[in-house]
Amino acid sequence: MKKIINVALPKGRLGEKVYDLFERAGFPCPSIKEPNRKLVFENAEVGVRYFWVKPSDVAIYVERGAADIGVAGKDILLEYTPDVYELLDLQMGKCWMAVAAKAGFQDDRNRTLTVATKFANIAKQHYFAQGRDVDIVHLNGSIELAPILGLSDVIVDIVETGATLKENKLEVVEKFVDISARLIANKSSFQFNREKIEEIRAGLAKQTEK
Ligand code: PRP
């Protein structure tokens, strides 16, 4: 019987584009497009089983081997540093990490800077490298509210189109990391299923080069 590779896909708009890439790469699973709430979809003929996972959880499934491979944002990989192989930049879900603040914000380096973010480790490393004292306020979403309400001086967050910043009258102070979706693999699955995972990686790479 053909070995089935378990693939964790990030649920949501990016995930649908990622699935389309797998389909074009030769690993279709038509049932995934049916309008229902199912989370697991298998096509034994091409040897793949897909499941929809919350985007920030993909790396956990892959690191623990519940998925052999998956697609996670570089932001998540930098923040949580899961012990996985990063096999390919899928060239989608492109955005960047930025520091932003209210228009006209001036940093007083004699004071501790208060930073609101979902990405506490990324923010800590960024400011540690600058030797800047920071107080990190770890939030789970709507980060842009923090400087508006005086909860923080600045935010460290992902910017894609810039619309959220603009509509909340915030400005980019500093851009510092480019982010995109990455194909990741569980380390031992990669050893045991190298041929099949390489076949998937090569198929996806061919599509991203187009
Ligand atoms: C992300 C990010 C920004 C926004 C950036 O939030 O945290 O708020 O998208 O996108 P833009 O530059 O295209 O406006 P998300 O939509 O994930 O929601 P959240 O605030 O609940 O985290």
Side-chain angles (χ1 to χ4, degrees):
M1 211 180 83
K2 212 168 183 173
K3 162 77 191 172
I4 301 248
I5 295 292
N6 286 307
V7 187
L9 296 178
K11 208 171 167 180
R13 208 160 45 90
L14 174 66
E16 284 165 26
K17 283 198 209 153
V18 169
Y19 166 73
D20 287 340
L21 194 73
F22 275 81
E23 187 177 86
R24 291 201 302 279
F27 304 94
C29 184
S31 60
I32 206 168
K33 298 231 163 155
E34 288 164 10
N36 58 43
R37 306 277 296 169
K38 267 173 66 177
L39 297 171
V40 183
F41 303 88
E42 181 176 310
N43 183 350
E45 258 172 58
V46 295
V48 288
R49 180 184 298 120
Y50 294 107
F51 38 89
W52 293 123
V53 171
K54 195 171 150 91
S56 51
D57 289 343
V58 167
I60 299 173
Y61 281 78
V62 174
E63 183 178 35
R64 291 180 170 258
D68 300 299
I69 60 174
V71 173
K74 184 69 181 174
D75 51 335
I76 299 297
L77 302 179
L78 290 170
E79 179 64 19
Y80 299 103
T81 58
D83 190 18
V84 297
Y85 291 130
E86 189 181 316
L87 299 181
L88 181 67
D89 183 345
L90 296 179
Q91 307 287 345
M92 49 172 59
K94 286 189 180 178
C95 50
W96 30 278
M97 196 61 73
V99 177
K102 283 209 285 195
F105 167 76
Q106 294 283 342
D107 187 7
D108 174 359
R109 289 188 65 93
N110 297 316
R111 273 183 53 233
T112 299
L113 185 73
T114 311
V115 183
T117 187
K118 279 184 276 195
F119 302 99
N121 292 324
I122 293 176
K124 265 184 222 161
Q125 276 173 25
H126 176 68
Y127 285 106
F128 181 76
Q130 298 184 359
R132 184 77 175 91
D133 259 350
V134 290
D135 174 18
I136 304 281
V137 181
H138 193 175
L139 300 176
N140 294 301
S142 301
I143 311 299
E144 292 80 2
L145 268 178
I148 297 172
L149 300 181
L151 182 60
S152 73
D153 298 313
V154 299
I155 61 171
V156 165
D157 202 10
I158 280 172
V159 179
E160 190 183 351
T161 62
T164 313
L165 290 181
K166 197 169 170 210
E167 286 174 24
N168 291 290
K169 299 190 174 61
L170 301 178
E171 287 179 354
V172 173
V173 175
E174 218 185 328
K175 280 186 182 183
F176 66 99
V177 185
D178 287 325
I179 308 288
S180 58
R182 308 293 162 100
L183 177 70
I184 57 174
N186 173 271
K187 287 191 166 175
S188 69
S189 298
F190 188 69
Q191 306 309 334
F192 288 115
N193 306 295
R194 190 164 193 139
E195 206 177 316
K196 178 78 185 177
I197 293 176
E198 285 286 13
E199 182 194 339
I200 296 173
R201 194 197 65 79
L204 293 169
K206 211 165 151 197
Q207 293 306 313
T208 58
E209 283 156 14
K210 279 188 178 165

